[in-house]
Amino acid sequence: MGGGIGGLTAGLSLLRAGCDVHIYERASRLSEVGAGVQVSPNASRLLHRLGLSDALAATGVKPLAWHQRRWDDGRTLLRAPLAEALEATYGFPHYQMHRADLLAALASALPPSRVHTGHRLTGFTDHGSYVEARFADGPRVEADVLLGADGIHSAVRQGLFGPDQARFTGCVAYRGVVPAERLRHLNLEVTAQIWLGPGRHFVHYFISGRRFVNFVAVVEQDRWTRESWTDQGSVGDALAAYDGWHPQVREIIGAADETYVWALFDRPPLPRWSAGRVTLLGDAAHAMLPFMAQGAAQAIEDGAALAECLRRDRFVPDALRRYEQVRLPRTSRMQEISAGNKTRFHLPDGPAQRDRDQQMTAGSQAWSFNALGWVYEHDAAAVEIGGEDQQMSIRSAAEGRMT
Protein backbone atom coordinates (compact mmCIF):
# COMPACT_ATOMS: atom_id res chain seq x y z
CA MET A 1 0.00 0.00 0.00
CA GLY A 2 1.46 3.36 -0.91
CA GLY A 3 2.09 5.85 1.84
CA GLY A 4 -0.03 8.64 0.36
CA ILE A 5 -3.35 10.03 1.55
CA GLY A 6 -5.40 7.07 0.33
CA GLY A 7 -2.97 4.43 1.53
CA LEU A 8 -2.59 5.89 5.03
CA THR A 9 -6.32 6.41 5.40
CA ALA A 10 -6.95 2.80 4.39
CA GLY A 11 -4.31 1.60 6.83
CA LEU A 12 -5.82 3.57 9.69
CA SER A 13 -9.36 2.45 8.80
CA LEU A 14 -8.27 -1.19 8.69
CA LEU A 15 -6.44 -0.92 12.02
CA ARG A 16 -9.57 0.54 13.60
CA ALA A 17 -11.52 -2.42 12.15
CA GLY A 18 -9.24 -4.83 14.03
CA CYS A 19 -6.97 -5.85 11.16
CA ASP A 20 -3.22 -6.38 11.42
CA VAL A 21 -2.00 -3.83 8.85
CA HIS A 22 1.45 -2.98 7.51
CA ILE A 23 2.03 -0.22 4.96
CA TYR A 24 4.87 -0.34 2.45
CA GLU A 25 5.98 2.80 0.62
CA ARG A 26 8.52 3.06 -2.19
CA ALA A 27 9.93 6.46 -1.15
CA SER A 28 12.47 6.76 1.63
CA ARG A 29 10.07 8.90 3.68
CA LEU A 30 6.43 9.91 3.73
CA SER A 31 6.04 13.26 2.03
CA GLU A 32 3.73 15.35 -0.14
CA VAL A 33 4.83 18.10 -2.47
CA GLY A 34 3.31 21.54 -2.05
CA ALA A 35 -0.26 21.42 -3.28
CA GLY A 36 -3.75 21.84 -1.93
CA VAL A 37 -6.49 19.29 -1.51
CA GLN A 38 -10.24 19.61 -0.93
CA VAL A 39 -11.67 17.49 1.90
CA SER A 40 -15.43 17.51 1.32
CA PRO A 41 -18.01 16.25 3.87
CA ASN A 42 -18.08 12.74 2.41
CA ALA A 43 -14.38 12.49 3.32
CA SER A 44 -14.29 14.58 6.50
CA ARG A 45 -17.00 12.45 8.15
CA LEU A 46 -14.70 9.43 7.72
CA LEU A 47 -11.59 11.27 8.93
CA HIS A 48 -13.46 12.58 11.99
CA ARG A 49 -14.40 9.01 12.90
CA LEU A 50 -10.73 8.11 12.72
CA GLY A 51 -10.02 10.72 15.41
CA LEU A 52 -8.61 13.44 13.15
CA SER A 53 -11.13 16.23 13.76
CA ASP A 54 -8.73 18.34 15.87
CA ALA A 55 -5.88 17.93 13.38
CA LEU A 56 -8.11 18.92 10.47
CA ALA A 57 -9.45 21.95 12.34
CA ALA A 58 -5.91 23.07 13.24
CA THR A 59 -4.70 23.47 9.65
CA GLY A 60 -7.77 23.15 7.46
CA VAL A 61 -9.62 26.17 6.11
CA LYS A 62 -13.41 26.19 5.82
CA PRO A 63 -14.27 28.07 2.60
CA LEU A 64 -17.29 30.36 2.62
CA ALA A 65 -18.31 29.44 -0.92
CA TRP A 66 -17.45 28.06 -4.31
CA HIS A 67 -17.05 31.26 -6.32
CA GLN A 68 -16.99 30.71 -10.09
CA ARG A 69 -15.95 33.72 -12.14
CA ARG A 70 -15.38 34.82 -15.72
CA TRP A 71 -11.76 34.88 -16.89
CA ASP A 72 -11.47 38.45 -18.18
CA ASP A 73 -13.68 40.78 -16.16
CA GLY A 74 -14.01 38.70 -12.98
CA ARG A 75 -17.79 38.73 -13.16
CA THR A 76 -19.45 36.26 -10.78
CA LEU A 77 -21.09 33.35 -12.59
CA LEU A 78 -22.08 31.32 -9.55
CA ARG A 79 -21.57 31.60 -5.82
CA ALA A 80 -22.57 28.41 -3.96
CA PRO A 81 -22.41 28.56 -0.14
CA LEU A 82 -20.13 26.19 1.76
CA ALA A 83 -18.88 26.55 5.37
CA GLU A 84 -21.89 26.66 7.76
CA ALA A 85 -24.45 25.92 5.03
CA LEU A 86 -22.68 22.78 3.88
CA GLU A 87 -21.97 21.55 7.42
CA ALA A 88 -25.58 22.16 8.48
CA THR A 89 -26.86 20.17 5.50
CA TYR A 90 -24.46 17.22 5.58
CA GLY A 91 -23.25 17.19 9.18
CA PHE A 92 -19.53 17.53 8.53
CA PRO A 93 -17.26 20.36 7.35
CA HIS A 94 -15.56 21.03 4.07
CA TYR A 95 -11.84 21.76 4.45
CA GLN A 96 -9.23 23.20 2.12
CA MET A 97 -5.84 21.79 3.16
CA HIS A 98 -2.22 21.49 2.24
CA ARG A 99 -1.63 17.89 1.22
CA ALA A 100 1.36 17.71 3.54
CA ASP A 101 -0.80 18.77 6.51
CA LEU A 102 -3.34 16.05 5.80
CA LEU A 103 -0.63 13.44 5.27
CA ALA A 104 1.04 14.43 8.56
CA ALA A 105 -2.26 14.11 10.43
CA LEU A 106 -2.80 10.63 9.06
CA ALA A 107 0.78 9.52 9.70
CA SER A 108 0.71 10.75 13.30
CA ALA A 109 -2.37 8.62 13.97
CA LEU A 110 -0.60 5.44 12.83
CA PRO A 111 1.89 3.52 14.98
CA PRO A 112 5.33 4.07 13.41
CA SER A 113 5.97 0.33 13.43
CA ARG A 114 3.19 -0.12 10.86
CA VAL A 115 4.76 2.06 8.17
CA HIS A 116 7.76 0.79 6.18
CA THR A 117 9.44 3.20 3.75
CA GLY A 118 12.04 2.42 1.09
CA HIS A 119 10.19 -0.67 -0.14
CA ARG A 120 9.64 -0.92 -3.91
CA LEU A 121 7.28 -3.69 -4.91
CA THR A 122 8.67 -5.91 -7.68
CA GLY A 123 6.00 -8.60 -7.81
CA PHE A 124 3.50 -10.72 -5.95
CA THR A 125 1.94 -14.17 -6.07
CA ASP A 126 -1.52 -15.13 -4.89
CA HIS A 127 -1.19 -18.67 -3.49
CA GLY A 128 -4.91 -19.01 -2.80
CA SER A 129 -4.71 -19.10 0.98
CA TYR A 130 -2.28 -16.15 1.21
CA VAL A 131 -0.44 -13.57 -0.92
CA GLU A 132 3.31 -13.21 -1.14
CA ALA A 133 4.69 -9.73 -1.94
CA ARG A 134 8.28 -9.26 -3.12
CA PHE A 135 10.37 -6.08 -2.82
CA ALA A 136 13.48 -4.83 -4.56
CA ASP A 137 15.51 -4.76 -1.36
CA GLY A 138 14.99 -8.45 -0.74
CA PRO A 139 12.23 -9.03 1.82
CA ARG A 140 9.22 -11.18 1.07
CA VAL A 141 6.01 -10.66 2.99
CA GLU A 142 3.07 -13.03 3.34
CA ALA A 143 -0.41 -11.69 4.03
CA ASP A 144 -4.11 -12.44 3.79
CA VAL A 145 -4.73 -9.42 1.54
CA LEU A 146 -2.61 -7.29 -0.75
CA LEU A 147 -3.97 -3.78 -1.36
CA GLY A 148 -2.50 -1.68 -4.15
CA ALA A 149 -2.77 2.03 -3.33
CA ASP A 150 0.16 2.83 -5.59
CA GLY A 151 -1.24 5.49 -7.85
CA ILE A 152 -1.99 5.89 -11.53
CA HIS A 153 1.09 3.86 -12.59
CA SER A 154 0.19 1.05 -10.18
CA ALA A 155 2.49 -1.95 -10.12
CA VAL A 156 -0.22 -3.94 -8.35
CA ARG A 157 -2.76 -3.17 -11.10
CA GLN A 158 -0.23 -4.18 -13.74
CA GLY A 159 0.41 -7.42 -11.86
CA LEU A 160 -3.32 -8.13 -11.76
CA PHE A 161 -4.42 -7.10 -15.24
CA GLY A 162 -1.29 -6.65 -17.33
CA PRO A 163 0.42 -3.52 -18.69
CA ASP A 164 -1.60 -0.56 -19.94
CA GLN A 165 -1.14 3.12 -20.64
CA ALA A 166 -2.72 6.08 -18.90
CA ARG A 167 -4.48 8.54 -21.22
CA PHE A 168 -3.13 12.05 -21.60
CA THR A 169 -6.24 14.22 -21.26
CA GLY A 170 -4.92 17.19 -23.23
CA CYS A 171 -4.35 19.32 -20.12
CA VAL A 172 -1.32 20.35 -18.11
CA ALA A 173 -1.45 22.04 -14.73
CA TYR A 174 0.82 24.60 -13.14
CA ARG A 175 0.56 24.63 -9.39
CA GLY A 176 2.06 26.76 -6.71
CA VAL A 177 1.78 27.92 -3.12
CA VAL A 178 2.13 31.61 -2.25
CA PRO A 179 2.53 33.09 1.26
CA ALA A 180 -0.76 34.85 1.97
CA GLU A 181 1.09 37.93 3.21
CA ARG A 182 2.26 38.65 -0.33
CA LEU A 183 -1.35 38.82 -1.51
CA ARG A 184 -2.80 40.84 1.35
CA HIS A 185 -3.43 43.82 -0.94
CA LEU A 186 -5.88 41.73 -2.97
CA ASN A 187 -8.21 41.25 0.02
CA LEU A 188 -8.94 37.70 -1.11
CA GLU A 189 -12.11 36.13 0.21
CA VAL A 190 -11.92 32.81 2.04
CA THR A 191 -13.53 31.03 -0.87
CA ALA A 192 -12.54 28.48 -3.46
CA GLN A 193 -12.42 30.65 -6.58
CA ILE A 194 -12.64 29.04 -10.01
CA TRP A 195 -12.01 31.27 -13.02
CA LEU A 196 -13.39 29.86 -16.29
CA GLY A 197 -11.95 30.79 -19.68
CA PRO A 198 -11.33 29.57 -23.20
CA GLY A 199 -9.15 26.47 -23.15
CA ARG A 200 -8.12 26.85 -19.51
CA HIS A 201 -9.22 27.60 -15.97
CA PHE A 202 -7.64 28.81 -12.74
CA VAL A 203 -8.36 27.80 -9.14
CA HIS A 204 -7.11 29.37 -5.91
CA TYR A 205 -7.90 29.00 -2.22
CA PHE A 206 -6.36 29.39 1.24
CA ILE A 207 -4.65 26.47 2.99
CA SER A 208 -2.58 25.85 6.16
CA GLY A 209 -4.66 27.99 8.48
CA ARG A 210 -4.83 30.78 5.85
CA ARG A 211 -1.05 31.19 5.88
CA PHE A 212 -0.76 30.24 2.21
CA VAL A 213 -2.76 30.51 -0.99
CA ASN A 214 -2.74 27.44 -3.21
CA PHE A 215 -3.31 27.80 -6.94
CA VAL A 216 -3.76 25.42 -9.83
CA ALA A 217 -3.68 26.71 -13.42
CA VAL A 218 -4.98 24.15 -15.93
CA VAL A 219 -4.16 24.73 -19.60
CA GLU A 220 -5.08 22.67 -22.65
CA GLN A 221 -2.06 21.35 -24.53
CA ASP A 222 -1.72 18.99 -27.50
CA ARG A 223 0.77 16.52 -26.09
CA TRP A 224 3.01 15.58 -23.19
CA THR A 225 5.90 13.17 -22.94
CA ARG A 226 5.88 12.26 -19.24
CA GLU A 227 3.92 12.58 -16.03
CA SER A 228 5.36 13.82 -12.76
CA TRP A 229 4.29 15.76 -9.70
CA THR A 230 7.76 17.24 -9.29
CA ASP A 231 8.70 18.73 -12.68
CA GLN A 232 9.84 22.30 -12.17
CA GLY A 233 7.67 24.75 -14.04
CA SER A 234 8.24 28.36 -15.01
CA VAL A 235 6.34 31.26 -13.45
CA GLY A 236 6.93 33.10 -16.71
CA ASP A 237 5.35 30.31 -18.74
CA ALA A 238 2.34 30.23 -16.42
CA LEU A 239 1.93 33.99 -16.72
CA ALA A 240 2.18 33.78 -20.50
CA ALA A 241 -0.56 31.13 -20.53
CA TYR A 242 -2.84 33.59 -18.72
CA ASP A 243 -2.02 36.66 -20.76
CA GLY A 244 -5.06 38.95 -20.86
CA TRP A 245 -6.72 37.34 -17.86
CA HIS A 246 -8.03 39.30 -14.89
CA PRO A 247 -5.28 41.08 -12.88
CA GLN A 248 -6.07 39.05 -9.74
CA VAL A 249 -5.22 35.80 -11.52
CA ARG A 250 -1.96 37.18 -12.85
CA GLU A 251 -0.94 38.70 -9.52
CA ILE A 252 -1.39 35.38 -7.74
CA ILE A 253 0.74 33.57 -10.32
CA GLY A 254 3.37 36.31 -10.31
CA ALA A 255 3.71 36.20 -6.52
CA ALA A 256 4.93 32.58 -6.58
CA ASP A 257 8.62 31.83 -6.12
CA GLU A 258 8.27 28.67 -8.19
CA THR A 259 5.72 26.49 -9.89
CA TYR A 260 5.52 22.81 -10.69
CA VAL A 261 3.94 21.54 -13.86
CA TRP A 262 2.41 18.15 -14.54
CA ALA A 263 0.28 16.57 -17.18
CA LEU A 264 -3.19 15.34 -16.30
CA PHE A 265 -3.73 11.68 -17.08
CA ASP A 266 -6.67 9.41 -16.42
CA ARG A 267 -7.86 5.93 -17.29
CA PRO A 268 -11.26 4.63 -18.35
CA PRO A 269 -13.12 2.87 -15.53
CA LEU A 270 -11.90 -0.67 -14.97
CA PRO A 271 -14.45 -3.47 -15.24
CA ARG A 272 -13.07 -4.90 -11.97
CA TRP A 273 -10.48 -4.07 -9.31
CA SER A 274 -9.96 -7.39 -7.54
CA ALA A 275 -8.71 -10.90 -8.17
CA GLY A 276 -8.48 -13.46 -5.38
CA ARG A 277 -6.80 -11.82 -2.41
CA VAL A 278 -5.54 -8.71 -4.24
CA THR A 279 -7.39 -5.45 -4.85
CA LEU A 280 -6.85 -1.77 -5.66
CA LEU A 281 -7.64 1.61 -4.13
CA GLY A 282 -7.57 5.28 -5.17
CA ASP A 283 -5.84 6.29 -8.39
CA ALA A 284 -4.65 2.72 -8.91
CA ALA A 285 -8.32 1.78 -9.36
CA HIS A 286 -9.97 4.96 -10.67
CA ALA A 287 -7.65 7.77 -11.74
CA MET A 288 -9.73 10.85 -12.53
CA LEU A 289 -9.33 14.47 -13.52
CA PRO A 290 -9.39 16.89 -10.57
CA PHE A 291 -12.38 18.84 -11.91
CA MET A 292 -14.73 17.72 -9.14
CA ALA A 293 -12.09 17.97 -6.39
CA GLN A 294 -12.88 14.36 -5.47
CA GLY A 295 -9.70 12.40 -6.16
CA ALA A 296 -8.45 12.28 -2.57
CA ALA A 297 -11.97 12.04 -1.16
CA GLN A 298 -12.72 8.94 -3.23
CA ALA A 299 -9.51 7.27 -2.06
CA ILE A 300 -10.51 8.03 1.54
CA GLU A 301 -13.94 6.52 0.86
CA ASP A 302 -12.31 3.41 -0.63
CA GLY A 303 -10.40 2.79 2.57
CA ALA A 304 -13.48 3.07 4.77
CA ALA A 305 -15.53 0.75 2.56
CA LEU A 306 -12.75 -1.82 2.30
CA ALA A 307 -12.26 -1.88 6.07
CA GLU A 308 -15.95 -2.53 6.63
CA CYS A 309 -16.12 -5.26 4.00
CA LEU A 310 -13.11 -7.07 5.46
CA ARG A 311 -14.32 -6.58 9.03
CA ARG A 312 -17.61 -8.28 8.34
CA ASP A 313 -16.94 -10.98 5.75
CA ARG A 314 -14.91 -14.04 6.72
CA PHE A 315 -14.05 -15.11 3.16
CA VAL A 316 -11.52 -12.65 1.72
CA PRO A 317 -12.32 -13.03 -2.01
CA ASP A 318 -16.00 -12.41 -1.27
CA ALA A 319 -15.17 -9.36 0.86
CA LEU A 320 -13.02 -7.90 -1.93
CA ARG A 321 -15.69 -8.55 -4.53
CA ARG A 322 -18.21 -6.78 -2.31
CA TYR A 323 -15.84 -3.85 -1.87
CA GLU A 324 -15.50 -3.59 -5.64
CA GLN A 325 -19.25 -3.85 -6.17
CA VAL A 326 -20.10 -1.02 -3.77
CA ARG A 327 -17.31 1.30 -4.90
CA LEU A 328 -16.89 0.84 -8.65
CA PRO A 329 -20.22 2.41 -9.80
CA ARG A 330 -19.72 5.51 -7.66
CA THR A 331 -16.12 6.14 -8.66
CA SER A 332 -16.90 5.50 -12.33
CA ARG A 333 -19.58 8.18 -12.16
CA MET A 334 -17.07 10.57 -10.57
CA GLN A 335 -14.61 9.86 -13.36
CA GLU A 336 -17.23 10.58 -16.01
CA ILE A 337 -18.43 13.86 -14.49
CA SER A 338 -14.89 15.05 -13.81
CA ALA A 339 -13.98 14.50 -17.46
CA GLY A 340 -17.11 16.33 -18.57
CA ASN A 341 -16.23 19.35 -16.44
CA LYS A 342 -13.14 19.88 -18.58
CA THR A 343 -15.39 20.76 -21.52
CA ARG A 344 -17.70 22.94 -19.43
CA PHE A 345 -14.86 24.84 -17.76
CA HIS A 346 -12.96 25.50 -21.01
CA LEU A 347 -15.67 26.57 -23.45
CA PRO A 348 -14.47 29.14 -25.99
CA ASP A 349 -16.28 32.46 -25.86
CA GLY A 350 -19.40 32.14 -27.95
CA PRO A 351 -23.00 30.87 -27.86
CA ALA A 352 -22.29 27.72 -25.77
CA GLN A 353 -20.26 29.73 -23.26
CA ARG A 354 -22.97 32.38 -22.98
CA ASP A 355 -25.62 29.71 -22.40
CA ARG A 356 -23.48 28.10 -19.69
CA ASP A 357 -22.88 31.46 -18.02
CA GLN A 358 -26.58 32.33 -18.12
CA GLN A 359 -27.51 29.04 -16.46
CA MET A 360 -24.89 29.52 -13.78
CA THR A 361 -25.82 33.14 -13.12
CA ALA A 362 -29.47 32.11 -12.78
CA GLY A 363 -28.45 29.64 -10.07
CA SER A 364 -29.28 26.57 -12.11
CA GLN A 365 -29.75 23.53 -9.90
CA ALA A 366 -27.16 21.71 -12.04
CA TRP A 367 -24.48 24.08 -10.71
CA SER A 368 -25.51 24.37 -7.05
CA PHE A 369 -24.00 22.33 -4.24
CA ASN A 370 -27.47 20.88 -3.58
CA ALA A 371 -27.11 18.99 -6.84
CA LEU A 372 -24.06 17.33 -5.33
CA GLY A 373 -25.95 15.82 -2.42
CA TRP A 374 -25.20 12.34 -3.75
CA VAL A 375 -21.50 13.19 -3.35
CA TYR A 376 -21.49 14.91 0.04
CA GLU A 377 -24.08 12.90 1.98
CA HIS A 378 -22.56 9.54 1.13
CA ASP A 379 -21.25 7.41 4.01
CA ALA A 380 -18.75 4.97 2.50
CA ALA A 381 -18.54 2.94 5.70
CA ALA A 382 -22.25 2.07 5.58
CA VAL A 383 -21.74 -1.21 3.73
CA GLU A 384 -24.46 -3.82 4.05
CA ILE A 385 -22.92 -7.27 3.83
CA GLY A 386 -23.33 -10.60 5.56
CA GLY A 387 -20.72 -12.52 7.49
CA GLU A 388 -19.21 -12.58 10.94
CA ASP A 389 -16.64 -10.25 12.38
CA GLN A 390 -13.07 -11.39 12.20
CA GLN A 391 -9.44 -10.43 12.60
CA MET A 392 -6.99 -10.94 9.77
CA SER A 393 -3.47 -10.00 8.81
CA ILE A 394 -3.25 -7.47 5.99
CA ARG A 395 0.08 -6.63 4.45
CA SER A 396 -0.43 -3.96 1.82
CA ALA A 397 2.38 -3.30 -0.56
CA ALA A 398 2.90 -0.73 -3.26
CA GLU A 399 5.26 1.60 -4.94
CA GLY A 400 4.70 5.22 -5.78
CA ARG A 401 2.32 7.79 -4.43
CA MET A 402 -1.34 8.59 -4.18
CA THR A 403 -2.78 11.73 -5.75
Side-chain angles (χ1 to χ4, degrees), residues 157-325:
R157 185 189 60 246
Q158 181 170 329
L160 281 177
F161 306 123
D164 63 352
Q165 291 293 325
R167 304 182 299 193
F168 175 50
T169 62
C171 290
V172 299
Y174 295 89
R175 57 187 173 82
V177 175
V178 180
E181 180 67 24
R182 295 183 188 175
L183 302 173
R184 178 180 290 183
H185 63 286
L186 296 178
N187 295 316
L188 297 176
E189 289 186 310
V190 184
T191 58
Q193 295 198 23
I194 307 171
W195 301 71
L196 309 183
R200 64 208 63 210
H201 72 282
F202 185 83
V203 181
H204 64 84
Y205 51 85
F206 286 96
I207 58 172
S208 299
R210 304 189 192 179
R211 297 190 304 276
F212 296 94
V213 173
N214 176 79
F215 73 81
V216 182
V218 179
V219 180
E220 291 185 10
Q221 182 169 304
D222 291 338
R223 59 186 177 180
W224 188 262
T225 56
R226 57 172 300 202
E227 180 195 22
S228 172
W229 275 67
T230 56
D231 282 351
Q232 196 77 36
S234 163
V235 173
D237 287 347
L239 281 170
Y242 287 83
D243 184 36
W245 279 54
H246 191 277
Q248 179 172 305
V249 170
R250 293 180 55 78
E251 287 203 47
I252 292 172
I253 297 172
D257 291 325
E258 62 182 6
T259 67
Y260 292 90
V261 62
W262 84 103
L264 300 183
F265 287 78
D266 70 358
R267 278 186 166 83
L270 291 170
R272 62 191 181 102
W273 300 352
S274 307
R277 292 178 174 269
V278 185
T279 194
L280 304 172
L281 175 149
D283 276 2
H286 47 72
M288 63 185 70
L289 285 168
F291 300 162
M292 279 189 71
Q294 280 292 307
Q298 291 309 299
I300 290 167
E301 285 189 11
D302 287 346
L306 177 63
E308 184 63 10
C309 289
L310 286 170
R311 186 183 72 83
R312 299 198 38 202
D313 199 313
R314 293 185 64 89
F315 187 58
V316 168
D318 281 354
L320 298 189
R321 279 193 293 271
R322 179 59 177 166
Y323 157 68
E324 174 185 301
Q325 289 167 0

Side-chain angles (χ1 to χ4, degrees), residues 57-90:
T59 60
V61 177
K62 296 181 181 180
L64 299 176
W66 291 110
H67 188 186
Q68 301 195 38
R69 307 178 68 176
R70 183 163 165 78
W71 67 279
D72 51 358
D73 58 13
R75 173 166 50 90
T76 294
L77 301 175
L78 180 74
R79 187 181 175 93
L82 295 176
E84 290 83 2
L86 201 68
E87 192 166 352
T89 302
Y90 301 113

